[in-house]
Amino acid sequence: MTEVIPMASGNPIIRQRIQVTGVVQGVGFRPFVYATAMRLGVRGFVANTSEGVLIEAEGSPEAIEGLREALRNDPPPLAHIDTIEATEMAPVEDTAFAIHHSHATAGENTPVPPDIAICADCLREMFDPADRRYLYPFINCTNCGPRFTILRELPYDRPLTTMSVFPMCPACEAEYNDPLNRRFHAQPISCPDCGPRLFLKPGALEGRPALLEAKRLLRTGAIVAIKGIGGFHLACDATSDKAVLELRRRKGRAGKPFAVMARSLADVQRYAKVSEDEVRILNSSEKPIVLLDRKPDAEPLSEHIAPGQTQLGFVLPYSPLHALLLDEAPLVMTSGNRSDEPIARENNEAFERLAGLADAFLLHDREIHVVCDDSVVRVFDGREMPIRRSRGYAPLPVPLPLTSPALLGAGGELKATFCLARGRRAYISQHIGDMENLETQAAFERALEQMRRLFRITPEAVACDLHPGYLSSLWAKRFAEENRLPLVRVQHHHAHAASLMAEHGMNADDRMIAVAFDGTGLGTDDAIWGGEFLLASYRSFERLGHLRYVRLPGGDSAVKKPYRMALAHLHAAGLSWDEDLPSVRACPQNERALLQRQLSQSLNSPLTSSWGRLFDAAASLIGVRHEVTYEAQGAMELETLAAQSNTTDAYAFDLEPQEMFLVDPAPVWRGIISDLGNNTAPTDIAAKFHRGIAHLIAKGCALARSRTSVNVAGLTGGVFQNALLTRMTLDALNNEGFEVKIHRVVPANDGGLSLGQAVIAASLLPEVSL
């Protein structure tokens, strides 16, 4: 936070114009200013503007300084102040302090608060039989409730939200207009007499009967589509194998883990181990899904919630409707969509798209303006390590280390987000999904249009991934051509590195040794990269080293069938396809002949340095996973195995110190084959594989440092969602004396690409013809 201090005045009564920027709307800021002014005897007014909050304050110099001190040191808990600018004005002899209506201004729009989980006060009132909002599923106040997903335009006022169609009753209006009431200017304020209504389909049940019937259906094994704050969920009883398996069958989601919502922290602790830091994040106003270690002696949940995993994703109720739905049994709460589609937003859309998936629909008539899926985090060294940045976090801005023109980063193909940047702020969208179909593209465009309006950003340039075939790249090219804008194509792993540098506030001239490990990204040589050591700045990068290329036989077929990658790596290492090896046994005999031909003649077998595919090969060679049904399945199961081992041994990669050094995994394959022959426990083999990678990264970074004199190392790319590998690698790099950076604000996976694209484009725009 920065503050501009005015010149001191000699007058006994002074007046100052105070402009506050940051997340200061929809968080109870004006009532806070009003109460503080009343306490200090300050006169004047406070109002929302498009740029933030405007205060004109008149009183003694001590009182005005007291107001500024309160702004600096004691703002509302949900506020995030960027700047406080105060200028002297002539006193006008106000006799009171007032809250004025919001008004639009011509400057940059203020950041928008995200949706905020239900607060303790509203939760207490909702379960108080004497309260007029008893059991009301849309209770909220200035400290909680929907924000981003109901907002059409700024300023954040009720007529510009989807609550505009619900006129307030006299009781709500009185609360809304009372500056000392917790619901003063709470834009979604409502009650059973004037607010949204709950109903169940099929049938005609409304209100409390609809809720009770939905709960009964869930208890008896039904699948219910539930309209929430940012979209629909599909819910079922998390203790019922039958219900969970049926949900998997209908949704077309064979093995990918489901999230579980539990009634309370005590209920979560029945099933999972929860540290103090994990408790804090579970209970935070963001309330993300938090990945937690299962308790070995836990009460039974369906084994089909997260097959092959020792972690479960838990979330606490973040809306009043959730809190009313939850009983003793936890619920699976998964995105309301078919696999590979965006989540449903509107009631009629849900009837159409979720027909055949849900047995019933628990709906309401408050419109969701834009969808926002649940966020997912791991807790690492006491802080969030984001897996999916969405509800509760988006669209909070990321401060930029350089000044950016108005531009758009279009993101990647998987885990798509976009980024709108201008000045010193980057606004990263909520999680959109995989850009693999027109439905997701439509959701992308709707979210983009909303954020362009909210933040008044008209892009002057567009950045996209280097891969010309990505749907996001094709969309960006078309958008740039239609609007006659320059298009900046950004190499995938350079974008990963830049996103990490930007979230850590590294300067324009700084450089970092970026270890960018992931599944796929087009390289500048047209090969598929993914095991990269880069010397990165915002403006450029140099490829210092990489995993030795291996063939990807059949392209995408090898991604879905890791045994193909295992055989490709054995072939590259000159190792025979021994029938005793699990990956060889998994490959049908006739397919082996085809693979042999593809590899020897380089047929439909592009070159790759992907570390994600290396994990796939290891998972198959060890016998963990030969075919996958979702991204990184083999790697996740390998991490699960490795976490159960106590060995400190490690396999050794060869590092060939050429001008561009090469990492050769052949010794690792020989070590795994030897251990398989000696009946070494798969847990120990998996752990040795992880530790070997950590040692290799430290060795590669040390070599890079000796050549570049750069002592900052950054870990980025989807491989570093693996907490065990990240822990081992951090320890190894710290032992080598490196300053190490990992992701804390945006995901290490492709959800962070759009930020990296935007900051790279901003650094290059002087060279781009506008």
Side-chain angles (χ1 to χ4, degrees):
M1 181 182 75
T2 60
E3 182 180 14
V4 179
I5 305 297
M7 296 287 290
S9 170
N11 296 329
I13 297 297
I14 65 171
R15 187 179 183 90
Q16 290 184 1
R17 182 183 180 92
I18 305 171
Q19 180 72 50
V20 187
T21 66
V23 182
V24 290
Q25 293 187 22
V27 293
F29 203 86
R30 288 179 298 169
F32 157 76
V33 173
Y34 177 89
T36 304
M38 296 293 286
R39 175 172 56 83
L40 295 171
V42 171
R43 301 174 296 281
F45 70 86
V46 60
N48 279 347
T49 71
S50 299
E51 297 170 282
V53 166
L54 173 66
I55 305 165
E56 288 195 13
E58 187 169 315
S60 69
E62 294 79 13
I64 301 302
E65 174 56 31
L67 175 62
R68 286 212 317 266
E69 184 177 351
L71 295 175
R72 286 193 301 268
N73 301 325
D74 193 28
L78 298 176
H80 299 269
I81 295 177
D82 291 340
T83 64
I84 301 171
E85 296 184 1
T87 55
E88 296 281 0
M89 302 178 67
V92 298
E93 299 183 357
D94 281 328
T95 59
F97 195 88
I99 297 177
H100 286 185
H101 290 296
S102 304
H103 57 276
T105 53
E108 182 177 348
N109 269 5
T110 185
V112 173
D115 298 325
I116 302 164
I118 184 171
C119 69
D121 288 332
C122 283
L123 202 59
R124 175 181 48 78
E125 290 172 351
M126 187 173 70
F127 288 110
D128 179 0
D131 194 276
R132 72 187 190 92
R133 293 185 176 87
Y134 177 56
L135 301 182
Y136 181 54
F138 305 100
I139 190 171
N140 66 85
C141 69
T142 54
N143 297 320
C144 68
R147 301 290 194 272
F148 174 54
T149 53
I150 63 171
L151 184 59
R152 294 190 177 101
E153 303 278 357
L154 282 174
Y156 176 60
D157 281 323
R158 191 180 183 95
L160 299 179
T161 74
T162 62
M163 286 298 295
S164 61
V165 298
F166 298 99
M168 285 180 278
C169 67
C172 284
E173 191 164 15
E175 293 173 324
Y176 183 88
N177 289 318
D178 180 358
L180 300 182
N181 190 286
R182 198 175 86 251
R183 293 189 169 88
F184 173 74
H185 278 231
Q187 307 306 336
I189 186 176
S190 63
C191 72
D193 293 332
C194 65
R197 63 188 181 94
L198 193 69
F199 52 98
L200 187 72
K201 296 294 181 182
L205 294 177
E206 294 189 11
R208 180 74 174 155
L211 179 72
L212 292 174
E213 176 61 11
K215 294 175 73 166
R216 187 194 68 80
L217 288 169
L218 288 165
R219 284 195 303 270
T220 57
I223 297 167
V224 179
I226 300 168
K227 186 178 182 181
I229 289 179
F232 277 79
H233 283 109
L234 289 168
C236 73
D237 183 348
T239 66
S240 168
D241 284 345
K242 183 178 179 182
V244 175
L245 282 172
E246 181 61 16
L247 178 56
R248 287 201 176 279
R249 185 191 69 80
R250 294 184 191 181
K251 193 174 164 71
R253 185 164 167 168
K256 191 174 182 181
F258 286 137
V260 178
M261 181 176 284
R263 177 180 54 183
S264 66
L265 177 62
D267 283 348
V268 174
Q269 291 170 326
R270 290 163 52 193
Y271 304 101
K273 295 182 282 187
V274 191
S275 69
E276 288 185 10
D277 292 311
E278 289 164 340
V279 167
R280 174 176 51 80
I281 293 167
L282 279 167
N283 280 324
S284 67
S285 62
E286 294 84 4
K287 278 198 169 54
I289 297 168
V290 181
L291 301 185
L292 303 171
D293 290 331
R294 293 179 192 250
K295 276 186 175 177
D297 55 349
E299 296 189 30
L301 285 177
S302 172
E303 63 181 356
H304 304 291
I305 289 173
Q309 302 297 314
T310 57
Q311 285 201 319
L312 293 170
F314 271 99
V315 62
L316 292 175
Y318 56 83
S319 80
L321 178 57
H322 293 148
L324 292 169
L325 268 173
L326 267 292
D327 284 327
E328 185 174 349
L331 297 176
V332 165
M333 281 282 188
T334 189
S335 302
N337 58 0
R338 296 182 185 273
S339 291
D340 303 325
E341 291 184 359
I343 60 175
R345 179 178 64 89
E346 297 177 331
N347 293 346
N348 289 336
E349 177 191 3
F351 290 141
E352 179 181 342
R353 290 178 46 208
L354 304 183
L357 275 70
D359 299 305
F361 295 79
L362 187 60
L363 308 168
H364 59 75
D365 55 356
R366 183 178 66 202
E367 180 190 348
I368 298 169
H369 184 61
V370 67
V371 297
C372 193
D373 212 341
D374 293 331
S375 295
V376 183
V377 305
R378 293 182 104 154
V379 179
F380 187 88
D381 282 350
R383 295 173 57 198
E384 292 105 322
M385 187 165 75
I387 305 297
R388 184 165 75 198
R389 184 182 185 270
S390 202
R391 177 190 50 77
Y393 300 90
L396 291 175
V398 176
L400 288 177
L402 46 78
T403 300
S404 173
L407 52 83
L408 166 65
E413 185 85 339
L414 303 178
K415 300 176 176 63
T417 63
F418 60 82
C419 176
L420 286 169
R422 184 177 59 194
R424 288 280 181 153
R425 289 176 181 159
Y427 298 95
I428 305 167
S429 75
Q430 67 273 40
H431 169 80
I432 305 294
D434 294 347
M435 288 280 279
E436 295 178 333
N437 52 57
L438 294 178
E439 292 84 1
T440 308
Q441 181 177 308
F444 178 98
E445 290 172 343
R446 182 180 181 86
L448 175 60
E449 183 58 29
Q450 184 212 27
M451 285 182 58
R452 285 174 66 190
R453 288 199 311 271
L454 289 181
F455 303 122
R456 295 180 179 176
I457 296 178
T458 301
E460 300 170 15
V462 185
C464 70
D465 194 272
L466 184 64
H467 197 305
Y470 281 179
L471 194 59
S472 59
S473 298
L474 293 169
W475 181 91
K477 181 175 182 291
R478 185 169 64 252
F479 181 86
E481 290 172 349
E482 290 172 354
N483 293 278
R484 298 184 178 181
L485 302 176
L487 181 66
V488 181
R489 295 190 181 273
V490 178
Q491 200 282 322
H492 189 93
H493 302 93
H494 186 202
H496 272 309
S499 74
L500 180 60
M501 295 173 68
E503 72 163 80
H504 283 275
M506 294 182 68
N507 295 321
D509 296 329
D510 290 341
R511 299 186 300 168
M512 179 180 77
I513 299 168
V515 183
F517 285 5
D518 65 1
T520 185
L522 183 66
T524 54
D525 59 357
D526 290 332
I528 300 169
W529 291 8
E532 312 307 312
F533 290 82
L534 308 177
L535 179 63
S537 67
Y538 295 124
R539 292 173 59 84
S540 64
F541 75 94
E542 177 187 352
R543 196 184 192 194
L544 301 175
H546 62 87
L547 183 66
R548 182 184 287 279
Y549 283 138
V550 67
R551 293 286 171 183
L552 187 70
D556 285 346
S557 177
V559 177
K560 296 173 182 176
K561 297 179 177 180
Y563 65 76
R564 283 177 164 254
M565 280 314 305
L567 268 58
H569 270 284
L570 293 176
H571 180 272
L575 298 171
S576 63
W577 292 356
D578 193 312
E579 193 73 39
D580 291 337
L581 297 176
S583 51
V584 177
R585 290 198 304 271
C587 183
Q589 192 70 45
N590 59 343
E591 190 175 347
R592 287 183 219 170
L594 173 63
L595 278 175
Q596 190 70 255
R597 182 163 170 261
Q598 284 183 302
L599 293 169
S600 59
Q601 299 181 25
S602 304
L603 299 174
N604 189 28
S605 299
L607 293 171
T608 183
S609 60
S610 166
W611 214 278
R613 302 290 77 79
L614 189 86
F615 264 93
D616 286 347
S620 177
L621 187 58
I622 296 170
V624 175
R625 173 63 54 182
H626 302 301
E627 298 189 35
V628 299
T629 60
Y630 61 90
E631 184 192 16
Q633 185 175 9
M636 290 169 64
E637 293 174 351
L638 207 58
E639 179 188 3
T640 296
L641 271 183
Q644 301 171 50
S645 171
N646 293 318
T647 185
T648 57
D649 293 340
Y651 297 121
F653 290 81
D654 273 349
L655 186 64
E656 301 173 11
Q658 307 168 15
E659 182 177 352
M660 182 186 297
F661 61 82
L662 295 177
V663 177
D664 187 356
V668 172
W669 305 133
R670 288 193 290 269
I672 291 176
I673 291 170
S674 174
D675 279 347
L676 287 171
N678 293 328
N679 294 318
T680 302
T683 53
D684 289 344
I685 297 176
K688 291 169 70 175
F689 179 72
H690 278 74
R691 198 173 300 279
I693 297 171
H695 290 175
L696 175 277
I697 291 171
K699 189 175 178 182
C701 287
L703 178 59
R705 179 174 58 189
S706 71
R707 296 176 174 181
T708 64
S709 300
V710 173
N711 194 52
V712 179
L715 308 180
T716 188
V719 165
F720 291 107
Q721 293 177 134
N722 182 322
L724 179 65
L725 177 63
T726 302
R727 173 79 278 151
M728 291 177 173
T729 306
L730 269 176
D731 291 344
L733 288 170
N734 285 333
N735 288 338
E736 293 289 335
F738 279 96
E739 177 186 341
V740 188
K741 300 188 182 298
I742 64 171
H743 284 277
R744 295 296 193 179
V745 177
V746 299
N749 61 42
D750 286 4
L753 286 176
S754 62
L755 173 62
Q757 292 167 353
V759 74
I760 288 169
S763 71
L764 293 174
L765 273 178
E767 299 176 3
V768 176
S769 176
L770 290 175

